[in-house]
Amino acid sequence: MSAGRTVETTLVIIAALLVLAVCKLAQAVLEPVVFAVFIIMIAWPTQKALQASTGKALALVVTVVATIAVVLALLGVIVWGGGQVVDWVNQHLERIQETLLASTSWLEKHDIFVLTLLSDHFNSAQMVRLLQRVVIQANTILAFALIVLLYVILGLVEAEAVAGRIGALQNRDVSQRLLTAGASINRKFRTYMLVRTIASALTGLAVWGFARLMGLEMAAACGVLAFALNYLPYLGSLIVTGFLAVFAFVQTGSPQSSLIVLGGVSLIQVVIGSYLEPVFSGEALAISPPVVLFTIVLWTYLWGALGAFLGVPLAIAAMTLLNAFPSTRWIADILSGGRTRAEPGLDGESLAFERADPR
């Protein structure tokens, strides 16, 4: 590696670490902004298409209302599925207690007192504090949603003007590269969300059918939760698989049934996540799988559940921007894991390239 490339790499690493540190320290400020920008990137083409026939004001209203409707529909599905699980738990507390006692008897014979540990860490005072935290968190989520909504409305109003200001930069090369990268990010975000939605729907249907086949109660709620949590790559799959295995054990009291459910749901996740999603996603997710996993873990640490959701889109945006400039294109090439092929760029250059298959 040449001295220039070494300095360049060092500067990129330092800049990335500084950005991550700022994201962690300024989470409350940056989180709603980043989430709003993600929504704007997906919604803007719809508004732009409507503007030609309805005018800017009406197109903005229709786009915002449609976006809110989609978000509320998804939240409604999640709330319904979670409510079904809570109702089932309340109705079967005795069965859950019996299963817990039976499953811990072997451990107690080996001086591992699980129930004692649970009682030490979960008493009535802690439950009250937990409920208080839930209420506070609900209020925080509501305030967060309102802030994001305001950012989305203002962003959709200003999107055209921002693109114009970028296009008016004195450095025409940088200006054109940024506009090209922005259009590519926009397209990839929409493709990613479409593929993620299709994969989530297939996962939900498959889990629902498998739960019915296994004779589990609340098969529909299991499918709905699998659909919703599949929007969190890797983490959502782990949560769904673990939850359904425990759920099957509580219902049947049979370790064999629990293992069958664990294996069946894992197989569904692997087939859809590892084979079908890559086929449909194409260039939208030209990132090495270890990099995807690292990104999800990193952003989950930085921003929690929302970070887990935004981790992959942020990686897509970063890869596209790195790919737009010759000085950083080699980084995108490495992180893509060889999943890139050339596509037409400016002046014959590849601005959002993806390497062609050598065959």
Side-chain angles (χ1 to χ4, degrees):
M1 181 180 290
S2 64
R5 180 59 60 85
T6 301
V7 172
E8 190 177 273
T9 303
T10 303
L11 291 176
V12 169
I13 293 173
I14 292 174
L17 291 175
L18 288 175
V19 168
L20 293 176
V22 170
C23 288
K24 181 64 175 179
L25 295 173
Q27 176 182 355
V29 176
L30 294 178
E31 210 173 23
V33 175
V34 174
F35 191 38
V37 170
F38 174 70
I39 295 174
I40 291 167
M41 295 290 285
I42 294 174
W44 166 242
T46 300
Q47 178 180 329
K48 187 177 180 181
L50 290 173
Q51 283 182 181
S53 57
T54 64
K56 186 172 183 178
L58 184 57
L60 174 64
V61 172
V62 172
T63 303
V64 171
V65 170
T67 302
I68 293 174
V70 171
V71 173
L72 289 179
L74 180 60
L75 289 177
V77 166
I78 296 173
V79 170
W80 178 84
Q84 292 291 310
V85 173
V86 172
D87 289 341
W88 188 91
V89 170
N90 289 333
Q91 295 172 10
H92 299 84
L93 286 175
E94 292 185 3
R95 186 198 299 187
I96 295 173
Q97 185 177 7
E98 291 174 359
T99 304
L100 182 61
L101 290 172
S103 61
T104 56
S105 60
W106 182 86
L107 294 174
E108 290 179 355
K109 292 179 181 178
H110 295 79
D111 296 327
I112 303 175
F113 299 98
V114 177
L115 293 180
T116 302
L117 293 173
L118 290 175
S119 62
D120 289 341
H121 290 84
F122 295 96
N123 51 46
S124 58
Q126 289 176 328
M127 288 300 295
V128 170
R129 286 195 294 270
L130 177 62
L131 291 175
Q132 290 174 342
R133 289 181 60 185
V134 169
V135 172
I136 294 172
Q137 189 66 25
N139 292 330
T140 303
I141 292 174
L142 180 59
F144 177 86
L146 292 175
I147 294 173
V148 170
L149 177 60
L150 289 175
Y151 279 137
V152 169
I153 295 173
L154 294 174
L156 289 173
V157 170
E158 291 292 319
E160 214 164 18
V162 171
R165 286 193 286 271
I166 293 175
L169 292 175
Q170 290 185 352
N171 190 325
R172 303 301 298 170
D173 180 66
V174 172
S175 169
Q176 196 61 34
R177 289 178 187 279
L178 288 176
L179 290 176
T180 302
S184 181
I185 292 171
N186 184 299
R187 184 180 68 254
K188 290 180 180 182
F189 276 3
R190 290 166 69 87
T191 302
Y192 171 75
M193 286 306 298
L194 177 61
V195 170
R196 178 58 59 183
T197 299
I198 293 173
S200 297
L202 290 175
T203 301
L205 288 172
V207 169
W208 167 75
F210 182 71
R212 284 182 61 88
L213 180 66
M214 292 295 298
L216 298 181
E217 301 175 33
M218 294 196 315
C222 293
V224 164
L225 291 177
F227 163 77
L229 289 173
N230 198 66
Y231 279 96
L232 303 178
Y234 294 118
L235 297 180
S237 301
L238 289 174
I239 293 172
V240 168
T241 304
F243 168 76
L244 288 178
V246 174
F247 191 57
F249 181 68
V250 171
Q251 285 192 31
T252 64
S254 169
Q256 291 81 3
S257 297
S258 180
L259 290 175
I260 292 174
V261 170
L262 180 66
V265 176
S266 298
L267 180 62
I268 291 171
Q269 302 281 5
V270 168
V271 170
I272 295 176
S274 300
Y275 293 97
L276 296 184
E277 279 193 58
V279 170
F280 290 114
S281 62
E283 66 172 17
L285 193 55
I287 310 175
S288 172
V291 174
V292 172
L293 181 59
F294 173 77
T295 300
I296 294 169
V297 173
L298 173 64
W299 284 100
T300 301
Y301 166 74
L302 293 175
W303 286 357
L306 184 61
F309 173 74
L310 290 174
V312 175
L314 287 171
I316 291 173
M319 289 276 292
T320 305
L321 287 172
L322 290 171
N323 203 23
F325 295 91
S327 61
T328 56
R329 190 172 298 158
W330 62 275
I331 302 176
D333 191 19
I334 293 174
L335 296 179
S336 70
R339 289 167 172 76
T340 55
R341 70 168 182 268
E343 95 182 19
L346 297 174
D347 300 325
E349 282 194 285
S350 171
L351 297 183
F353 78 100
E354 298 208 344
R355 181 181 309 167
D357 191 333
R359 296 174 295 178

